Amino acid sequence: MVDEGASGLLPVAPRPLWQRALPVVVLAGITAAQLATPNGVELGYFLAAVPPLAAFAYGPLGTVVLATVTFAGVLLPHTRDWYPHPGDILTLAVVVVFSIVVARVRQRREHQLVTVRTVAEAAQLAVLPPLPDEVGQVRCAGLYQAAQRGTLVGGDFYDVRAGPHGVRAVIADVQGHGLAAVGTVAALLGAFREAVLDEPTLPGVAARLDRRLVVDAEPDGPGELFATALLLEFPLHEPVVRVVSCGHPRPFLLRGRTAAELAAEPAAPLGLGLAGLAPPRELRVELAEGDRILAYTDGVTEARDAAGAFYPLGERLAALAPGDGLAALTEAVRDDLVRYAGRAKDDVALLALASANGHRLP
């Protein structure tokens, strides 16, 4: 965002070059055309369009400068055999004043929008801060793209936290998307961060998250608020990962140049009351050096190409898995998804994890 500052000649917001040049081009073109036409043919009236154009491309001071030049262009024909009537000058003056007011109102509104957006981004980043490159003994990288333009947080989220039982991670997809789901995301993230410290098992963490949604949904009735979630745990000093799925898509284990789904048995989604159902089963997977895990939300696999075919993540992942880092992996999947389906119509989240117990992975 560019402010006018003292000069007032720069646009309040970055404008396309053609938009900033248009008032000047129109002014110069009409003036040149007037000078080139025979006496008796008056084109100066068209200069009245310059101040309104300037009001949408420049700030108040810039509009004043162009309006002053416009007045000179209108008065120019009096050196020949025509002189504008006082009524014509008054009309142009009214247009100029109106244009300056419009420029000022637009400038103030854009400043207000910048302030609102800055506050909104700060609030969203407080809910879902960027992941560090490493949490405890686990390296991680996350990538998030909200379906609603202009937002940083929507209905998907992920987090990685260290606790007394190791490093735990969550990736979840809340009912709905966009800003309407941010309240639920914030509640689940708070419950997860507390459970990481308090709960000795992953099923216990899932139960805490489920209870949070059940309580929040009480005003609307049971089952009205739910989410799918995948929980992962990297125990201290042990090259394994434990996985619990609550109705969430299975993650992939990337080993060498292969990618295979982890056979995590999905339990009921969060918010349906896990206390009255069978607890989710925990999957334990031994990790080899260089193994990486990619978790995702269904916004990835439910994206469609022009023919309506779903994005085949499992078929393409092995070829997309570069060996130069977790962030490169998530970006490669995102770029391939965009090439396949264009901009996703649902929230998209990717979470890549790798254990660094005893060695640093490539």
Side-chain angles (χ1 to χ4, degrees):
M1 180 62 66
V2 180
D3 202 325
E4 279 193 337
S7 70
L9 295 177
L10 292 176
V12 176
R15 301 286 178 181
L17 180 60
W18 68 266
Q19 188 174 356
R20 286 179 284 159
L22 183 60
V24 178
V25 171
V26 171
L27 176 61
I30 295 175
T31 301
Q34 177 66 75
L35 293 174
T37 56
N39 289 342
V41 179
E42 178 52 39
L43 302 177
Y45 296 111
F46 292 105
L47 290 174
V50 173
L53 290 175
F56 287 99
Y58 296 89
L61 189 54
T63 303
V64 169
V65 171
L66 285 175
T68 301
V69 179
T70 300
F71 262 109
V74 170
L75 297 176
L76 182 64
H78 87 277
T79 59
R80 307 189 316 174
D81 60 358
W82 180 89
Y83 189 84
H85 296 291
D88 299 326
I89 298 177
L90 179 61
T91 300
L92 181 58
V94 171
V95 172
V96 168
V97 171
F98 175 77
S99 300
I100 294 172
V101 172
V102 169
R104 179 56 180 164
V105 171
R106 179 187 58 78
Q107 182 188 60
R108 292 184 62 183
R109 180 59 58 86
E110 289 189 354
H111 286 167
Q112 291 172 351
L113 289 176
V114 170
T115 301
V116 170
R117 180 174 177 82
T118 301
V119 172
E121 289 183 354
Q124 293 178 78
L125 287 173
V127 173
L128 190 62
L131 282 180
D133 294 334
E134 195 166 301
V135 177
Q137 78 276 16
V138 174
R139 296 195 305 133
C140 49
L143 188 149
Y144 183 77
Q145 178 178 299
Q148 184 173 335
R149 291 182 181 272
T151 61
L152 303 178
V153 181
D156 294 356
F157 71 89
Y158 48 72
D159 198 12
V160 182
R161 296 279 163 164
H165 306 287
V167 175
R168 287 169 171 172
V170 62
I171 183 169
D173 184 355
V174 172
Q175 174 194 17
H177 57 78
L179 292 177
V182 172
T184 305
V185 168
L188 284 177
L189 277 170
F192 171 74
R193 291 163 184 171
E194 289 293 327
V196 165
L197 302 175
D198 299 337
E199 294 293 335
T201 66
L202 274 188
V205 176
R208 287 280 288 270
L209 300 182
D210 177 71
R211 185 180 65 181
R212 177 73 272 164
L213 283 189
V214 169
V215 171
D216 289 348
E218 282 181 355
D220 299 319
E224 293 301 318
L225 188 62
F226 62 89
T228 66
L230 186 76
L231 298 167
L232 304 101
E233 178 182 275
F234 295 83
L236 296 172
H237 314 300
E238 192 177 357
V240 302
V241 62
R242 299 187 178 105
V243 183
V244 164
S245 173
C246 296
H248 200 83
R250 292 173 173 174
F252 283 92
L253 174 66
L254 289 88
R255 178 169 292 171
R257 293 189 171 274
T258 66
E261 275 190 340
L262 293 180
E265 184 177 336
L270 303 175
L272 303 183
L274 293 181
L277 303 172
R281 294 186 179 180
E282 184 178 275
L283 174 70
R284 186 178 186 276
V285 179
E286 297 281 346
L287 294 176
E289 183 175 353
D291 282 356
R292 291 167 291 171
I293 294 173
L294 180 70
Y296 59 95
T297 57
D298 60 10
V300 176
T301 51
E302 291 183 359
R304 299 171 183 257
D305 63 7
F310 290 110
Y311 177 67
L313 176 62
E315 299 174 9
R316 303 165 75 100
L317 183 55
L320 295 173
D324 54 352
L326 299 179
L329 170 61
T330 58
E331 290 168 4
V333 174
R334 187 269 313 277
D335 293 343
D336 188 60
L337 179 65
V338 171
R339 288 192 295 267
Y340 184 89
R343 179 176 174 85
K345 296 179 175 58
D346 195 2
D347 298 324
V348 168
L350 296 164
L351 178 63
L353 303 165
S355 174
N357 262 327
H359 51 264
R360 179 166 294 276
L361 301 179

